[in-house]
Amino acid sequence: AQKITQTQPGMFVQEKEAVTLDCTYDTSDPSYGLFWYKQPSSGEMIFLIYQGSYDQQNATEGRYSLNFQKARKSANLVISASQLGDSAMYFCAMRELDFGNEKLTFGTGTRLTIIP
Amino acid sequence: ETGVTQSPTHLIKTRGQQVTLRCSSQSGHNTVSWYQQALGQGPQFIFQYYREEENGRGNFPPRFSGLQFPNYSSELNVNALELDDSALYLCASSLGALAGGPYEQYFGPGTRLTVT
């Protein structure tokens, strides 16, 4: 069974500092994908970044980068130069593909609070 | 480009009743996935619809059912509501696994269901 683990229930970070949110996963499938989503208090899940298991380079999207360490089965999200608007819940998710059926399995999330 | 929309925003139902939630997918997307997010948890996959057929299902009982229409919009129906069904229900649209990528799922704002 697929599993996503986020070990940091909450984090407090000073504005403008970089922050790393941890995510480890467990799968025996050679082909998979890893996502990070941001969920503000409004509830909407906002897509941040995607890393495929066969991608050679770490994914980057603006201030977001994904530190993908395949051998360690980790996919940490790095946010550079944090802003007050980054305060939200962050979820790591894994894309599972089973005979053409696709689903995302989510972790329990990390609540990030940016301090002015 | 029109994003994912969901209706209604909030809903209050009584135990034993039935409920229908609606979702309009993002323009160009033919796949819709539904997720249940209980308070303080990550989203849990309910099922996915691709071209009007169920294309994968999570660990939810048959009283959770769905439909997808020719315009790729979708409904989630829940019969015989239980107190534990109280949650945020999220709909996500994508191009689906068979498209070969990109694999991002884009989420709507969700419907918050309260069962009393």
Side-chain angles (χ1 to χ4, degrees):
Chain A
Q2 313 292 343
K3 186 177 179 182
I4 294 284
T5 303
Q6 295 181 253
T7 58
Q8 305 153 309
M11 288 187 69
F12 291 85
V13 174
Q14 204 75 35
E15 189 181 7
K16 298 182 183 178
E17 288 186 351
V19 57
T20 298
L21 305 181
D22 295 341
C23 172
T24 58
Y25 60 92
D26 183 25
T27 180
S28 55
D29 295 334
S31 178
Y32 53 90
L34 297 154
F35 296 82
W36 278 92
Y37 284 88
K38 172 184 178 182
Q39 187 176 41
S41 56
S42 59
E44 185 172 355
M45 300 287 283
I46 301 169
F47 166 74
L48 296 178
I49 198 166
Y50 171 80
Q51 179 86 39
S53 59
Y54 294 121
D55 293 343
Q56 295 297 313
Q57 293 187 327
N58 287 344
T60 60
E61 291 284 352
R63 294 186 300 115
Y64 304 107
S65 61
L66 199 152
N67 184 3
F68 182 47
Q69 298 189 36
K70 197 170 182 177
R72 295 185 176 184
K73 292 188 175 179
S74 74
N76 297 339
L77 176 70
V78 179
I79 306 175
S80 63
S82 58
Q83 303 170 355
L84 295 179
D86 294 334
S87 293
M89 283 291 290
Y90 287 80
F91 290 95
C92 180
M94 181 161 60
R95 172 179 174 266
E96 173 185 11
L97 190 61
D98 181 23
F99 297 103
N101 298 329
E102 181 186 48
K103 70 173 185 179
L104 293 182
T105 300
F106 285 81
T108 52
T110 296
R111 180 170 297 281
L112 176 65
T113 303
I114 306 299
I115 305 167
Chain B
E1 187 177 83
T2 306
V4 180
T5 61
Q6 292 186 245
S7 62
T9 306
H10 295 88
L11 203 54
I12 300 175
K13 288 287 189 178
T14 304
R15 189 172 49 184
Q17 286 187 318
Q18 178 266 344
V19 68
T20 297
L21 310 182
R22 294 177 176 83
C23 170
S24 292
S25 61
Q26 184 166 307
S27 176
H29 286 178
N30 56 19
T31 302
V32 172
S33 304
W34 286 92
Y35 296 83
Q36 179 195 67
Q37 187 178 21
L39 198 61
Q41 303 292 321
Q44 299 289 318
F45 175 73
I46 302 175
F47 44 55
Q48 182 182 85
Y49 277 84
Y50 171 69
R51 292 187 175 180
E52 303 179 55
E53 292 193 2
E54 190 178 287
N55 186 44
R57 189 179 184 92
N59 190 26
F60 280 82
R63 60 188 185 85
F64 285 78
S65 63
L67 283 173
Q68 187 179 32
F69 301 99
N71 66 354
Y72 304 129
S73 66
S74 178
E75 287 182 354
L76 164 65
N77 299 292
V78 187
N79 293 323
L81 284 167
E82 300 177 0
L83 297 179
D84 285 348
D85 295 335
S86 294
L88 179 67
Y89 288 84
L90 295 163
C91 161
S93 77
S94 62
L95 289 175
L98 299 180
Y103 302 112
E104 295 91 290
Q105 294 191 13
Y106 292 91
F107 284 78
T111 294
R112 188 163 298 281
L113 172 66
T114 302
V115 182
T116 61

